[in-house]
Amino acid sequence: MIFTDSGIILFRQEFREADRIVSLYTREHGRINARLPGVMRPAGKLKALSEPFAFGDYRIYVRRGGVIGTVTGGKINNIFPNIRRNLKRTALAMHFCELVQRLTPLHQPSEGKFELLCKALTELEYGEVNSAFQAAFTLRLMALAGFGMDRPVLKISPEFWRRIHEDELSSLTFTEPEDLLSLSKCNSVCRRFLSRYLTYPLNTLRNFTLEQDAQTLLETELTEQDEAELTAAVRQPAY
């Protein structure tokens, strides 16, 4: 089978002498694994299509009964050059890709997840980075993956909860003490969810110190009642 689909590279690693294996989130086929043969050679033509968070149209061949496809061609739509020139933006982009990688099963497409990741990368490329980017993306992905909460928790105001789930990421700039406290609580929700449902820590949190950045936002102590509310509020995954 040969098909063409829009996709974003979530993860890549070298394979053999000149190949790369990538994890690719596509619009119509969901998360898939594919090999790009020969891209590490000097004359390799598809190397740009194998870079982290590259967005392009991929032509993929999958043998009958095969597990890993082969990228036979494609076209770059955006490599997000502004993101790649800034360490903070790069860290967030790779973090978003790792979250999609870890919270999405293979071969189960979701238009919402694809659009969320594409829009987040576009806003990172052209918009202003703020301290709410990380929590807002995580909470929205949790909802799309079936883990989301139907209502605000930890006495976060309904309006703040709506904004963190619906407004453009680059517009989520908060200065009021109440909003900063709510943002800190949102980061607590994300940390506890990730520590509970992931079998091992996210590499991007450790490698880029994003975890420390999130914890500096007015860290708030959660009571036993708060912890119980979080446990009860987070749904089981429905993918």
Side-chain angles (χ1 to χ4, degrees):
M1 178 180 68
I2 298 176
F3 63 89
T4 300
D5 201 352
S6 298
I8 299 170
I9 297 293
L10 304 178
F11 170 81
R12 63 109 165 116
Q13 65 180 16
E14 275 65 42
F15 179 67
R16 295 177 177 168
E17 292 185 2
D19 299 354
R20 276 182 175 172
I21 298 290
V22 300
S23 176
L24 179 68
Y25 199 80
T26 64
R27 183 186 295 274
E28 297 180 3
H29 296 81
R31 182 167 68 87
I32 60 177
N33 296 324
R35 181 174 66 95
L36 288 92
V39 295
M40 298 304 294
R41 297 193 182 103
K45 297 181 179 180
L46 300 179
K47 187 174 182 180
L49 282 164
S50 67
E51 295 296 332
F53 57 88
F55 171 39
D57 296 326
Y58 293 80
R59 185 170 66 249
I60 300 172
Y61 166 70
V62 182
R63 292 186 303 173
R64 183 184 298 273
V67 177
I68 297 180
T70 300
V71 177
T72 60
K75 179 187 71 174
I76 282 288
N77 293 328
N78 202 335
I79 61 170
F80 303 106
N82 290 333
I83 293 177
R84 297 177 192 278
R85 285 194 287 263
N86 181 278
L87 181 59
K88 178 66 173 180
R89 292 173 190 261
T90 298
L92 284 170
M94 296 187 72
H95 181 60
F96 296 162
C97 288
E98 187 179 14
L99 283 171
V100 173
Q101 167 86 8
R102 299 286 300 277
L103 295 178
T104 302
L106 285 166
H107 311 303
Q108 294 192 26
S110 167
E111 182 81 12
K113 290 179 186 177
F114 182 86
E115 291 296 338
L116 173 64
L117 181 56
C118 190
K119 192 172 189 304
L121 292 174
T122 301
E123 289 199 55
L124 270 180
E125 174 73 7
Y126 300 108
E128 294 297 324
V129 179
N130 56 60
S131 57
F133 248 92
Q134 187 177 346
F137 181 89
T138 304
L139 288 170
R140 295 176 194 198
L141 182 60
M142 285 171 57
L144 291 169
F147 293 99
M149 288 157 279
D150 298 322
R151 54 181 172 77
V153 294
L154 306 180
K155 299 180 181 178
I156 298 172
S157 73
E159 176 60 17
F160 186 94
W161 193 253
R162 184 199 64 77
R163 288 194 62 193
I164 207 76
H165 281 82
E166 297 178 8
D167 286 7
E168 291 189 355
L169 298 176
S170 55
S171 72
L172 296 175
T173 302
F174 302 108
T175 57
E176 296 297 323
E178 181 180 355
D179 289 337
L180 292 174
L181 181 59
S182 293
L183 180 56
S184 178
K185 290 179 178 179
C186 286
N187 276 294
S188 295
V189 172
C190 295
R191 285 197 301 275
R192 278 155 177 77
F193 162 74
L194 294 173
S195 65
R196 177 177 177 181
Y197 286 98
L198 298 183
T199 55
Y200 56 92
L202 293 161
N203 291 323
T204 46
L205 286 182
R206 297 198 308 267
N207 295 344
F208 293 103
T209 67
L210 289 173
E211 191 169 34
Q212 291 90 323
D213 290 348
Q215 289 176 347
T216 60
L217 291 169
L218 281 176
E219 183 68 47
T220 181
E221 291 293 331
L222 299 185
T223 66
E224 290 185 4
Q225 183 178 357
D226 292 334
E227 296 282 4
E229 181 183 3
L230 281 180
T231 301
V234 177
R235 298 195 299 264
Q236 291 297 318
Y239 295 121

